[in-house]
Amino acid sequence: MFRTALRNVLAHKARLLMTVLAVMLGVAFVSGTLVFTNTLSHALQNSSAKGFDQVDVAVTAEAQEDVGDRIVKTPELTEALRERSAKVPGAASAVGVVSGFTAIADRDGKLVGGGFQSQGGNYWGDKDPRYPLKEGTAPHGANEVAIDSETARRAGYEVGDTVRISIDGPVLTPKITGVFTTDDGNVAAGGSLALFDTPTAQKLFGKTGTYDEIDVKAAAGTSQAALKSALDAALPKGEVETTTAQRLADDQAEMISASMSGLKQGLLVFAGIALFVGTFIIANTFTMLVAQRTKELALLRAVGASRRQVTRSVLIEAFVVGTVAGATGLVAGIGIGAGLRSLLGTLGATVPDGPLVVSPGTVATSFAVGVVITMLAAWLPGRRAAKIPPVAAMNSLHAKATTKSLVLRNTLGALFSAAGVAVVLAATTMDGSDGQAPMGLGAVLLIIGVFILTPLLSRPLIAAATPVLRIFGVSGKLARQNSVRNPRRTAATASALMIGLTLITGMTVMAGSLQKSIDKMASAAISADYVVSMANGNTLSTDVEEKLKATDGVTATSPLRNAPARIGGVTEYLTGVTSAIGELTDLKVDDGTFEVAGTRVVVDQDTAEDHGWKAGSTFTAAYEDGEKQKLTVAGVYEGNELIRGIMLDASLLTPHQEDPSDMQVMVKTSGGASDAAKDRLEKALGSNPAIKVQSKQDLSDDIAQMFTLMLNMLYGLLAMAVIVAVLGVINTLAMSVFERSQEIGMLRAIGLERRAVKRMVRLESLVISLFGGVLGIGLGVFFGWAAGELLGTKMSTYELVLPWDRMAVFLLLAAGVGVLAALWPARRAARLNMLAAIKSE
């Protein structure tokens, strides 16, 4: 039986090629994902580990817990504490570290590096071993800075140049005195690093006289553990905590692995979709191969082969195909992994140097996926063939499915579909987070149900195309009959395309609806012409609002100044605003008035419900400096994702803040939003690359760009599933042409032209593909609507938007798949020798 199975594989090389390709693409996606994420993770971990070469034990302030109605301040790491650490037995040196966001502009005024990767810190003394100088000297004074060599190279800076830098708003223009090299992971990933002398860094980052961390280097012969023990004994307990560099490196490696895990899981989901779609193709292929060899298998049964041996021979074929697909998929995946890494470089993301990582786990996974998926898909056709009695098989009495089996299939499909619809509809009535799991379960049940029912659905839906097919005469009539001749095969072929289009359509509906909802939210909540914020989401200096207020044409401004406070035993965040906030927002007030003045505050609905407040309620807030104040609720408004929380007069909040800063500043101008007004505001802020001045349209465009980028990525990933579906249609048509060789020969003999034969096969492919496309788009719209209903519980402005233009493109895509897939089978059918075809069995 083993030799028979191998002979059959070799005898059907061309027919099994499509199956190998389908499995190979899925395996390549899996192995490529593993290679890419492992390589990226390994490179980042190595780069991160190098960053701890100059530290053996790190001293940080111990996190403090909230107690009662008091905000507990984190202990400070002072210069005295650093000196004390340096004198501990076994310590060679102790360096104070200060760091924070620092934006560097290139020569064109644009931000170097991306947002959170733009960092700044302090250069210790004249020669800091953490940052070896490549050129120049260490920075001294407020007007000097050193930058990393990669930033200098990318931006074209040299020692002696003046550079534009921003910490939290105002632009600084220090001179570059030095260029240094570093193993900092952020720089390796494409960020930037600017270093000031220690007093300047402390002042700029709001840490005057204190540090964020103290890095202690061990003396020769002292281990990290011994140094940690000495520091624990010498430093104040309950105020600081010590961590060895080895532990820091391990923690960093875990964080990198965790961050890579999300990316890996996301990519593997799409690989799973491609493999799931490929399963239909494999099952189809083996069903047709087994059907073509029915008499051969029956003869094997007649000469003594058992059912188990027949099934085993089919599984051996599947094992060989899966092994070949696994091996080729692994090789292709290694190429994909290397390609993705190169792609990051072309997109502007810098990846640390390191080897391409192909782990034993990746190799094992590739072969396991290829073999298991193929054997699982081939098991049912093999088992079905083995159950056919030898005499019945030799007489082809098995060809049609029994009425009992069709009734059972349709009943099962109806039950799954009904259960899926019921669970999805029930999930739409739940709270957003509670309904996610039920909706996922319902979606799976519905897709399985529709797949089982697809043979039943194929007849009426394909019959709907009859008026159009009649235009093509005999070719159209034959194409329709061929499409419904074997409903199960048609269903399996169409289902492969259906899965991909369901996901694409559903995501498009959700993205378009979310975009429209956020646009409505922005226009409904914000009356300001502009919103000013930092590019990386950090806080703004309070100087920013002062400069904007003094700008020509500005009629009203208000900061959004956040600070924690203890209210009723829990921490709530207060937002300091000016009395102009009512003019700058358009929030619906459900109770009371929107009045922010003195001790009168406004509160969003959710917060009011949590505390049982209404207009006229009073409460006591304990500020971060420990002072308490009684506040009165003037009004309760409907909050949203853009604006929510407790708003009070900034002049009331600011005196209690140690380092006041703003999350955003809202601005209204006399002439409304215009290019000239925006230009004035940007110039008033020194054309700062780290600050964004955005109109409501700009906010919407940013969100639209985010959704467009996300959708394009999803389209690219789901294209793999569509490619696999194309292979499935080609495979089905090729097998169908082979099965109908005698019939096609007879049609040619009675006068059907080659052109008409080609048209017949093409129309059959088109009908099958459009059938899958209609099902996929219909399911996608349903799932998009259902997911939107779930989101609507958290977003009051949510509104379903059906992207008719894109859905039309998806339907055209399905038609294109049909036309493309039919090229080779149609050509093959037209070139059949009619006499040889008539004589074939």
Side-chain angles (χ1 to χ4, degrees):
M1 296 304 294
F2 182 74
R3 288 197 299 272
T4 302
L6 289 180
R7 187 204 69 192
N8 285 324
V9 171
L10 295 173
H12 302 111
K13 293 188 292 289
R15 294 179 214 168
L16 289 170
L17 177 62
M18 295 299 174
T19 303
V20 171
L21 283 173
V23 183
M24 184 201 77
L25 283 172
V27 172
F29 209 156
V30 171
S31 58
T33 295
L34 295 175
V35 169
F36 171 64
T37 53
N38 287 343
T39 298
L40 193 57
S41 179
H42 183 264
L44 289 172
Q45 286 175 10
N46 281 351
S47 175
S48 174
K50 289 179 182 178
F52 297 109
D53 287 347
Q54 298 301 320
V55 55
D56 288 305
V57 178
V59 179
T60 55
E62 188 169 328
Q64 303 293 304
E65 295 182 0
D66 288 352
V67 180
D69 284 336
R70 184 165 55 91
I71 298 291
V72 181
K73 294 177 65 176
T74 302
E76 295 180 336
L77 302 180
T78 62
E79 173 62 17
L81 197 64
R82 186 200 67 78
E83 292 176 353
R84 191 170 169 183
S85 301
K87 294 175 182 177
V88 166
S93 63
V95 173
V97 177
V98 184
S99 62
F101 171 73
T102 303
I104 301 177
D106 62 18
R107 291 186 179 278
D108 295 325
K110 296 180 180 179
L111 184 65
V112 178
F116 70 95
Q117 294 175 331
S118 302
Q119 293 294 311
N122 64 312
Y123 192 93
W124 192 258
D126 293 322
K127 190 175 182 182
D128 192 331
R130 299 172 301 167
Y131 308 110
L133 285 169
K134 186 177 179 182
E135 299 175 46
T137 59
H140 291 287
N143 294 318
E144 294 185 358
V145 68
I147 63 173
D148 67 273
S149 55
E150 279 300 304
T151 299
R153 181 185 61 80
R154 290 199 302 269
Y157 285 128
E158 297 178 352
V159 173
D161 288 344
T162 297
V163 61
R164 294 168 62 80
I165 288 179
S166 174
I167 305 298
D168 59 359
V171 176
L172 309 175
T173 54
K175 185 175 73 171
I176 299 174
T177 62
V179 174
F180 58 87
T181 58
T182 178
D183 292 316
D184 186 280
N186 281 327
V187 174
S192 62
L193 181 60
L195 300 178
F196 306 88
D197 67 6
T198 299
T200 301
Q202 289 175 321
K203 182 180 178 182
L204 290 173
F205 300 125
K207 296 285 182 180
T208 304
T210 63
Y211 304 103
D212 294 314
E213 181 177 303
I214 297 172
D215 290 344
V216 186
K217 185 74 175 170
T222 302
S223 68
Q224 290 184 357
L227 179 59
K228 181 181 184 304
S229 298
L231 287 165
D232 286 339
L235 300 180
K237 290 180 174 60
E239 293 187 18
V240 299
E241 53 187 357
T242 58
T243 312
T244 63
Q246 184 60 54
R247 179 58 187 270
L248 289 172
D250 292 343
D251 289 346
Q252 190 73 16
E254 286 181 16
M255 288 175 59
I256 292 170
S257 295
S259 64
M260 287 295 107
S261 176
L263 175 63
K264 184 185 295 185
Q265 288 175 6
L267 292 174
L268 287 177
V269 165
F270 291 98
I273 293 168
L275 286 167
F276 182 63
V277 172
T279 303
F280 296 125
I281 299 172
I282 302 163
N284 242 6
T285 302
F286 278 93
T287 298
M288 289 184 275
L289 286 174
V290 168
Q292 290 167 13
R293 289 164 35 214
T294 300
K295 290 188 177 180
E296 174 192 326
L297 294 175
L299 184 60
L300 288 173
R301 289 288 312 281
V303 298
S306 65
R307 286 184 178 183
R308 186 174 295 176
Q309 285 178 309
V310 171
T311 304
R312 194 182 300 146
S313 71
V314 175
L315 291 178
I316 289 171
E317 291 181 51
F319 177 81
V320 174
V321 170
T323 303
V324 172
T328 53
L330 174 62
V331 174
I334 293 171
I336 289 173
L340 285 173
R341 180 175 172 174
S342 299
L343 180 62
L344 282 181
T346 60
L347 293 175
T350 305
V351 181
D353 292 333
L356 203 64
V357 179
V358 184
S359 67
T362 300
V363 176
T365 301
S366 299
F367 280 100
V369 168
V371 171
V372 171
I373 291 293
T374 310
M375 291 184 70
L376 281 176
W379 175 75
L380 189 59
R383 185 171 176 272
R384 192 182 295 138
K387 289 176 68 176
I388 300 171
V391 175
M394 288 181 181
N395 287 284
S396 299
L397 297 176
H398 68 292
K400 292 184 179 179
T402 63
T403 303
K404 181 181 177 181
S405 71
L406 290 174
V407 170
L408 178 63
R409 178 179 180 128
N410 293 338
T411 302
L412 193 62
L415 289 174
F416 267 98
S417 298
V421 171
V423 174
V424 168
L425 291 177
T428 60
T429 63
M430 299 179 184
D431 184 67
S433 53
D434 295 337
Q436 290 177 2
M439 184 163 289
L441 174 63
V444 171
L445 290 174
L446 181 54
I447 288 176
I448 292 173
V450 171
F451 170 65
I452 296 173
L453 283 176
T454 309
L456 179 67
L457 297 172
S458 64
R459 290 184 180 277
L461 287 177
I462 291 176
T466 301
V468 178
L469 292 173
R470 281 179 183 156
I471 299 172
F472 299 95
V474 175
S475 297
K477 183 178 181 180
L478 290 171
R480 186 186 66 79
Q481 292 174 346
N482 291 333
S483 300
V484 295
R485 176 180 296 185
N486 191 332
R488 292 188 177 186
R489 184 189 304 168
T490 298
T493 305
S495 295
L497 190 58
M498 177 191 79
I499 298 295
L501 286 180
T502 295
L503 293 166
I504 289 174
T505 305
M507 290 172 180
T508 303
V509 169
M510 282 186 63
S513 300
L514 279 171
Q515 173 64 48
K516 180 68 178 291
S517 305
I518 291 171
D519 284 351
K520 283 178 64 178
M521 187 187 299
S523 60
I526 300 173
S527 297
D529 295 317
Y530 294 98
V531 176
V532 180
S533 61
M534 290 292 282
N536 70 328
N538 273 9
T539 56
L540 291 161
S541 166
T542 53
D543 293 345
V544 170
E545 199 229 345
E546 295 300 324
K547 290 183 178 180
L548 291 169
K549 190 188 297 183
T551 305
D552 289 341
V554 172
T555 58
T557 64
S558 176
L560 270 65
R561 187 168 299 165
N562 285 3
R566 295 291 292 181
I567 301 173
V570 297
T571 299
E572 295 281 4
Y573 276 85
L574 306 177
T575 302
V577 296
T578 66
S579 57
I581 191 67
E583 184 183 348
L584 297 165
T585 57
D586 189 16
L587 297 166
K588 183 180 177 182
V589 179
D590 294 327
D591 185 19
T593 59
F594 198 89
E595 180 188 355
V596 180
T599 58
R600 295 176 66 78
V601 303
V602 291
V603 185
D604 71 286
Q605 258 183 348
D606 292 340
T607 305
E609 287 176 7
D610 290 343
H611 291 277
W613 295 336
K614 59 183 181 180
S617 298
T618 60
F619 62 91
T620 300
Y623 298 112
E624 58 183 317
D625 63 354
E627 293 290 326
K628 295 181 180 180
Q629 189 162 42
K630 192 173 182 180
L631 303 173
T632 302
V633 178
V636 178
Y637 67 91
E638 290 185 9
N640 54 49
E641 282 71 17
L642 296 178
I643 300 176
R644 62 174 60 195
I646 303 171
M647 294 188 200
L648 77 164
D649 196 319
S651 63
L652 203 67
L653 177 66
T654 304
H656 302 287
Q657 291 182 279
E658 185 177 343
D659 184 24
S661 58
D662 302 328
M663 290 303 298
Q664 294 177 335
V665 177
M666 291 186 172
V667 181
K668 198 169 188 66
T669 57
S670 56
S674 66
D675 290 341
K678 185 176 181 179
D679 188 54
R680 282 199 306 272
L681 295 177
E682 288 178 341
K683 285 182 178 177
L685 297 174
S687 301
N688 193 324
I691 296 181
K692 294 189 295 185
V693 178
Q694 294 178 295
S695 64
K696 285 190 284 188
Q697 185 59 51
D698 293 332
L699 289 170
S700 296
D701 290 345
D702 265 8
I703 296 167
Q705 187 177 11
M706 180 180 67
F707 281 122
T708 301
L709 178 63
M710 179 186 71
L711 272 181
N712 288 340
M713 288 175 63
L714 293 175
Y715 289 161
L717 293 169
L718 288 171
M720 184 71 72
V722 175
I723 292 171
V724 174
V726 171
L727 293 175
V729 179
I730 294 172
N731 212 16
T732 298
L733 290 174
M735 295 268 185
S736 180
V737 168
F738 176 82
E739 286 181 347
R740 305 202 312 264
S741 294
Q742 192 176 57
E743 175 190 319
I744 292 171
M746 289 292 293
L747 290 170
R748 292 276 292 111
I750 61 174
L752 192 67
E753 297 179 349
R754 286 186 175 180
R755 184 181 300 173
V757 171
K758 282 185 179 181
R759 189 182 301 125
M760 175 187 71
V761 176
R762 287 172 184 160
L763 288 173
E764 179 184 349
S765 175
L766 188 62
V767 166
I768 292 173
S769 297
L770 285 175
F771 171 51
V774 168
L775 280 181
I777 292 171
L779 280 174
V781 169
F782 176 71
F783 289 139
W785 165 81
E789 289 295 301
L790 203 59
L791 284 170
T793 62
K794 295 289 186 183
M795 189 179 291
S796 59
T797 57
Y798 186 84
E799 176 186 342
L800 179 67
V801 175
L802 293 180
W804 295 105
D805 53 344
R806 293 206 179 192
M807 289 194 289
V809 170
F810 297 155
L811 202 58
L812 288 174
L813 173 66
V817 166
V819 172
L820 179 65
L823 291 177
W824 177 62
R827 186 167 176 268
R828 185 171 181 268
R831 295 181 65 183
L832 283 175
N833 183 293
M834 69 179 73
L835 295 178
I838 291 171
K839 289 192 295 180
S840 67
E841 294 187 3

